Amino acid sequence: MYNSKQFKIVDHFFLKLEEKERFFFRKGKTLNPLKIISLSNFFSGLKLKEEDVLLIYISKEEHDYVDFIVTTKNIHTKSTVFPLEILALNNTYFNQFPEEHISKLKQLLEDLLAKQEQEKKNLDYFTNKFKEFVNQKENQENDYVIDYGFLEVLKEEGEKLQDLAEDLNQNKHFSEIINTIVQKTDEAIEFKAEHVILQDLIKVYNKTFVLHNQKDESTLKVKFLLAFLFEKLQGNDIISSLTIERINTFVTSSSFDKNIQIIQKARLFDLGDTYKNEFLLPLILKKLNNNHFTKSTSFLYRIASLITKADGTVSEEEKGVLKEINTSLLHPKQSLQGVKFTEVDENETLQDVLDELHELIGLEPIKVAIEELTNFLKVQKLREKEGLKTVNNALHSVFMGPPGTGKTTVARLVSKIYKHLGYLEKGHLVETDRSGMVAGYVGQTALKVEEIVNSSLNGVLFIDEAYALAKENKQDFGNEAIEVLLKKMEDHRKELVVIVAGYPDEMKDFITSNPGLQSRFNRYFTFNHYKTSELLNIFELFCKKNDFVLTEDAREKLSFIFDKFYEEKNEHFGNARVVRNLFEKIIEYQANRVVGIAPITVDVLKTIIEEDIPPVNQTIEKYLQFQEEQ
């Protein structure tokens, strides 16, 4: 059902909207899944199992009022369901809305329908190929090594691969990070996402292909997998261009085998000793804190699974290699110590950021406070534009709350808001803590703080557990870090925003420990523990974003675990951080369960069952024991 190409068309539509129009249109993909589900209560014809929400239209100022919804199949009003056709907008219902809005909506529908028509042609072509195969199967009873089922799985993976590469190529920070990690073997090459993905695919292939019996016919499937993905990264679809007979003949030729050997040995860049054993794509995405990290690791692991299961069996040695690959993908080596950078999406608007804020799970008091601050800053800019006096805008803030309650996430959004309102030029976020700011020798701490501040200019510096800098021992270098930071905040007061975060009591002590801190930090935001239902919603959001689904039994077991977490938590409970850790552990358990299943299917790869959830008592004891140790 989910079609990323349609969402890309919608993204392009939003880029063309004028600022004053962006209030009326909201992206479906930025809406919280719970918000989307709630819409079906008012739009009775909306069938969320059959269609995705592309955008909603809001004509009134009430935040939750929705006039109509555009999905991948229909246009929904509260009383009528129109097919996704341009003529539908000629209905008198749409006369009440501004003509320029409906005109732009018609252009969006033209683009969506053109893409649908092209995909229909591709589907018809592939269907005809399949019919040819069925007829040949009936007449000749051929038993192909590379069968239609395998081609169907490859085709779906190829589409996901292409979408991933397109998204990453639009990220200007992606290639910048590559150049800090790799050593080029050809200076003429301009690195793109396709190069990085191919390098990792070759690594997966070389780690798993050697485990096959080289005389077994199943190796032809594995070689074709590599050839197909190699061509797909170059924009070619050899499944659509060849019949199944041609494919099975093609893979037995000596020229095909030679080409596979060339691909297998390809090295586009040298990762050096530091990263030579790493998968490059997860490494880069982790460093960028990019939301494609989990999706990319899942993709590479699925490819490794397809290769090991090509012969219909999985040996103990293959299980061990798959586990090793999974661990390497999920835990890439990071070279920066104590500092993390988050890039800004150049295509985002202020409304996109505010929508993302409102769709966060829980955090209602924080949402209100951030919106009030945003409105205040908007008015200050308007007064400045009219030549009126403005209030001195001190944007430095204190975020107080237990871990895993969204402080870093909100800081990222706040940094973007400051950029869109014109208070910061870049709006990027630099995250650090004591380990990133304090050195062990005289003079080195000042240099570290200066380096971090310089990298944060025109953006936001987020210091987690900032209270750890203030020590009673005046000789501690943490106190030196505070003094250097205060001076830099004064030197760059129009170019730097600092947000300090940590437990409420400790942060109050931290701010009052130094008069300079008290005078510079006067905005306080309090983050509370997530409730049971919110913890479960966060887990389900991780599932949705990473192509997993929960069975009802698994959901009930998780709900019980989160109930116990909430009942027995203390101030150190990790909230969403615990949920993420549990999610990552559960998908590891799921991977180890499905690794022995052959043949593999998309449903098997996506489904989390009750068996994948670790024992209740063991889980509760493990995570609550950790908070006691804190």
Side-chain angles (χ1 to χ4, degrees):
M1 180 178 65
Y2 177 85
N3 189 327
S4 62
K5 290 184 174 60
Q6 288 179 303
F7 280 103
K8 288 182 190 298
I9 292 172
V10 173
D11 285 340
H12 187 63
F13 166 78
F14 273 85
L15 287 176
K16 293 189 292 186
L17 290 177
E18 296 180 16
E19 185 68 37
K20 62 182 180 181
E21 298 171 321
R22 287 173 178 155
F23 167 81
F24 303 97
F25 298 92
R26 306 292 170 87
K27 291 182 189 178
K29 71 177 183 180
T30 64
L31 298 176
N32 188 293
L34 299 177
K35 169 78 171 180
I36 294 175
I37 291 171
S38 70
L39 289 175
S40 60
N41 296 328
F42 303 98
F43 293 81
S44 57
L46 186 61
K47 298 179 180 179
L48 294 175
K49 291 185 178 180
E50 300 175 10
E51 52 191 329
D52 281 316
V53 175
L54 295 177
L55 65 81
I56 62 175
Y57 183 85
I58 301 173
S59 65
K60 296 182 173 60
E61 292 185 3
E62 292 89 339
H63 184 73
D64 291 327
Y65 186 89
V66 177
D67 292 284
F68 61 86
I69 301 171
V70 179
T71 73
T72 49
K73 290 187 176 182
N74 300 299
I75 302 173
H76 295 264
T77 69
K78 290 179 180 175
S79 60
T80 311
V81 179
F82 299 97
L84 192 68
E85 297 175 355
I86 296 173
L87 289 176
L89 297 178
N90 293 335
N91 186 277
T92 54
Y93 172 80
F94 297 98
N95 293 343
Q96 62 183 299
F97 306 116
E99 185 178 338
E100 60 270 23
H101 290 183
I102 300 303
S103 175
K104 291 193 174 184
L105 202 54
K106 285 181 177 179
Q107 182 59 57
L108 171 63
L109 293 191
E110 284 183 13
D111 294 340
L112 289 170
L113 293 171
K115 175 59 69 175
Q116 281 187 359
E117 183 61 27
Q118 183 59 48
E119 290 184 343
K120 184 177 181 299
K121 288 180 181 179
N122 293 340
L123 180 60
D124 288 344
Y125 180 85
F126 195 69
T127 300
N128 290 332
K129 292 287 184 185
F130 180 52
K131 287 179 179 177
E132 289 176 16
F133 160 65
V134 171
N135 291 333
Q136 292 169 354
K137 187 80 173 176
E138 290 175 351
N139 296 331
Q140 302 172 16
E141 295 185 353
N142 289 329
D143 187 14
Y144 294 118
V145 175
I146 300 173
D147 58 22
Y148 177 75
F150 186 69
L151 294 181
E152 192 175 59
V153 171
L154 283 191
K155 195 164 183 68
E156 183 171 342
E157 293 296 347
E159 291 298 320
K160 292 178 180 177
L161 174 64
Q162 208 163 37
D163 290 341
L164 177 63
E166 287 176 9
D167 285 345
L168 294 178
N169 282 329
Q170 292 176 12
N171 186 325
K172 68 178 183 179
H173 300 278
F174 188 78
S175 60
E176 293 173 2
I177 292 294
I178 298 173
N179 292 318
T180 67
I181 294 176
V182 306
Q183 301 168 25
K184 291 185 180 181
T185 57
D186 185 348
E187 289 299 325
I189 293 178
E190 180 182 350
F191 285 128
K192 298 175 68 177
E194 286 84 354
H195 296 108
V196 178
I197 296 170
L198 178 59
Q199 184 92 352
D200 282 352
L201 284 172
I202 292 171
K203 189 183 289 287
V204 168
Y205 178 89
N206 288 335
K207 282 178 174 288
T208 51
F209 180 72
V210 293
L211 304 175
H212 280 278
N213 179 350
Q214 300 303 302
K215 295 181 180 180
D216 193 286
E217 283 188 327
S218 63
T219 58
L220 297 177
K221 294 173 73 173
V222 178
K223 292 177 181 179
F224 180 73
L225 177 150
L226 180 62
F228 168 72
L229 295 177
F230 176 79
E231 290 293 327
K232 193 70 175 176
L233 285 169
Q234 299 178 73
N236 305 319
D237 189 343
I238 56 179
I239 291 179
S240 296
S241 60
L242 297 175
T243 66
I244 196 164
E245 273 192 316
R246 287 280 306 279
I247 288 172
N248 279 274
T249 303
F250 174 56
V251 295
T252 60
S253 66
S254 59
S255 61
F256 173 77
D257 210 48
K258 288 178 182 177
N259 287 332
I260 291 299
Q261 290 178 29
I262 292 172
I263 297 172
Q264 186 180 354
K265 296 175 182 177
R267 286 178 71 234
L268 298 174
F269 28 64
D270 183 359
L271 297 181
D273 291 337
T274 305
Y275 300 110
K276 65 181 179 182
N277 295 320
E278 296 291 309
F279 288 100
L280 185 54
L281 182 60
L283 175 67
I284 294 173
L285 297 181
K286 188 81 169 181
K287 191 170 184 179
L288 284 173
N289 200 30
N290 188 285
N291 57 11
H292 283 302
F293 170 75
T294 305
K295 191 170 290 187
S296 69
T297 57
S298 296
F299 167 75
L300 290 169
Y301 183 79
R302 289 198 303 271
I303 297 304
S305 296
L306 283 173
I307 294 175
T308 55
K309 297 173 183 179
D311 59 359
T313 62
V314 183
S315 68
E316 288 302 316
E317 184 180 9
E318 287 172 329
K319 288 181 181 180
V321 170
L322 283 174
K323 188 173 182 179
E324 176 189 316
I325 289 174
N326 197 40
T327 300
S328 183
L329 290 170
L330 292 174
H331 307 290
K333 183 184 293 183
Q334 297 291 294
S335 61
L336 291 177
Q337 297 297 317
V339 182
K340 184 188 293 183
F341 299 85
T342 300
E343 85 273 15
V344 174
D345 184 348
E346 297 297 326
N347 296 325
E348 271 186 337
T349 65
L350 175 60
Q351 190 59 55
D352 288 334
V353 178
L354 293 175
D355 286 346
E356 186 178 348
L357 173 68
H358 282 292
E359 298 309 328
L360 292 176
I361 294 169
L363 303 177
E364 297 310 319
I366 296 298
K367 294 174 185 177
V368 172
I370 297 298
E371 185 135 5
E372 289 175 348
L373 173 60
T374 301
N375 291 335
F376 169 75
L377 295 175
K378 278 183 180 178
V379 171
Q380 293 306 301
K381 280 294 180 183
L382 291 173
R383 289 177 61 86
E384 182 182 311
K385 186 177 179 180
E386 297 299 328
L388 300 174
K389 292 182 179 179
T390 60
V391 177
N392 184 26
N393 299 316
L395 302 178
H396 308 303
S397 304
V398 181
F399 284 10
M400 302 186 297
T405 47
K407 297 189 293 294
T408 307
T409 299
V410 172
R412 292 185 192 122
L413 296 176
V414 166
S415 67
K416 295 175 183 180
I417 289 171
Y418 290 161
K419 176 195 173 183
H420 288 299
L421 292 177
Y423 288 90
L424 292 173
E425 184 180 336
K426 295 181 180 178
H428 63 296
L429 185 78
V430 177
E431 301 169 50
T432 191
D433 55 16
R434 177 184 167 92
S435 68
M437 299 180 70
V438 176
Y441 301 96
V442 175
Q444 288 185 337
T445 292
L447 293 175
K448 289 188 75 172
V449 175
E450 184 170 359
E451 183 181 356
I452 290 172
V453 167
N454 288 340
S455 68
S456 306
L457 293 179
N458 298 304
V460 172
L461 173 59
F462 179 81
I463 307 173
D464 199 15
E465 298 181 349
Y467 52 82
L469 292 171
K471 300 287 186 180
E472 293 184 5
N473 178 5
K474 296 301 180 183
Q475 302 302 314
D476 183 82
F477 294 126
N479 294 303
E480 179 187 357
I482 294 173
E483 294 302 327
V484 176
L485 177 64
L486 289 172
K487 183 178 185 307
K488 293 297 177 183
M489 289 170 69
E490 180 62 28
D491 293 345
H492 302 287
R493 57 184 176 276
K494 292 186 177 180
E495 305 165 282
L496 176 69
V497 173
V498 178
I499 298 176
V500 291
Y503 296 107
D505 292 341
E506 285 85 342
M507 290 306 297
K508 290 174 185 176
D509 292 342
F510 170 66
I511 296 299
T512 57
S513 70
N514 187 305
L517 293 172
Q518 294 180 55
S519 65
R520 287 172 177 80
F521 291 94
N522 56 11
R523 295 187 186 278
Y524 291 79
F525 298 86
T526 301
F527 293 71
N528 299 315
H529 286 286
Y530 285 115
K531 299 174 183 175
T532 298
S533 59
E534 292 167 343
L535 294 172
L536 184 58
N537 289 340
I538 290 168
F539 188 95
E540 291 183 313
L541 193 59
F542 286 146
C543 288
K544 181 178 175 65
K545 286 183 175 181
N546 296 293
D547 293 331
F548 287 96
V549 292
L550 281 171
T551 64
E552 191 55 37
D553 287 347
R555 191 179 188 278
E556 287 181 7
K557 188 174 181 180
L558 273 172
S559 182
F560 185 78
I561 289 172
F562 291 142
D563 267 333
K564 289 296 183 182
F565 280 163
Y566 189 74
E567 289 173 8
E568 301 180 27
K569 69 182 182 308
N570 64 22
E571 64 173 346
H572 299 292
F573 177 62
N575 291 279
R577 196 175 298 171
V578 169
V579 178
R580 173 175 283 281
N581 291 340
L582 184 57
F583 171 75
E584 291 177 351
K585 181 58 65 177
I586 285 171
I587 63 174
E588 283 187 32
Y589 285 155
Q590 189 254 19
N592 282 299
R593 175 178 61 82
V594 304
V595 75
I597 299 175
I600 201 73
T601 66
V602 173
D603 283 343
V604 169
L605 288 169
K606 289 172 59 175
T607 304
I608 294 174
I609 66 174
E610 188 271 341
E611 180 186 334
D612 300 324
I613 314 295
V616 172
N617 291 336
Q618 175 185 321
T619 304
I620 295 168
E621 182 181 350
K622 175 182 177 181
Y623 289 101
L624 294 185
Q625 178 185 16
F626 176 75
Q627 72 173 13
E628 290 169 5
E629 290 172 355
Q630 288 271 46

